[in-house]
Structures are given as C-alpha cells and as structure tokens.
Amino acid sequence: MTKRRGDIWFVRSNGGQGSYPVTTEGWRVVWVFVAGIVASAIMGLVLAQTMTTFLWVAITALGMAISAIWFIMTARAHTDYSTTYNEYVKDKKNA
C-alpha cells in the first residue's frame, strides 16, 4: 500500500534507520513524546515521596515505555523510507 503525501510526517534519517520529522505533525509527535517522558519523570519524583522504591520506579518506567512505544509506532506508520532527509530538503528546494 502506497502512502499518500499527507500521511508522510517523517523521512529516513541521513545516518541510517531512524526517522526525521519533516512536517508540523511530525514535530508534534516528537514534542508529545518528550512531554510524555518529562511527565513520567515528574510523576516518578512525586511518587517517590509516598511509595516504596520498586513501585514508583516501575510506574515511571511504564510511563516512559508507553511514550516510547507510541512514538515508534506513530513514526513508523508515517515515515517515507524511500528518501533521506537530505534528499527531502533537496527535492523541496527544487520544487
């Protein structure tokens, strides 16, 4: 199944297999991921004051893992692996 141009928010990074955001939606996904990591860390610090060590560490790790899995799944679903970031920029300038 071919992806439509509006469904592509990321392109392949220049260095390899990662994805690089090239649209507003792609950058929004990155910022939501970062916010999820920060929120998990803050939640962990708050919970550390009231819970046993293992429990707050587990809850914090779970929050971070959920953020990471969501980011990876979203990026993979919206990445054009046929072009790198440098090729994307070059094509955009020539268009």
Side-chain angles (χ1 to χ4, degrees), residues 2 9 12 23 40 43 48 54-55 59-60 70 75 93:
T2 306
W9 301 346
R12 189 173 40 131
T23 65
S40 296
M43 180 179 62
F54 175 73
L55 188 57
I59 292 171
T60 302
W70 173 81
K93 285 181 183 179

Side-chain angles (χ1 to χ4, degrees), residues 2-62:
T2 306
K3 294 180 184 176
R4 295 186 321 256
R5 204 36 137 172
D7 290 339
I8 297 172
W9 301 346
F10 297 86
V11 294
R12 189 173 40 131
S13 66
N14 293 324
Q17 299 176 353
S19 298
Y20 191 88
V22 292
T23 65
T24 304
E25 293 87 355
W27 282 107
R28 188 175 305 126
V29 169
V30 171
W31 284 113
V32 169
F33 165 69
V34 170
I37 295 296
V38 170
S40 296
I42 291 170
M43 180 179 62
L45 291 173
V46 170
L47 293 177
Q49 307 302 316
T50 60
M51 294 184 163
T52 60
T53 302
F54 175 73
L55 188 57
W56 70 264
V57 169
I59 292 171
T60 302
L62 180 64

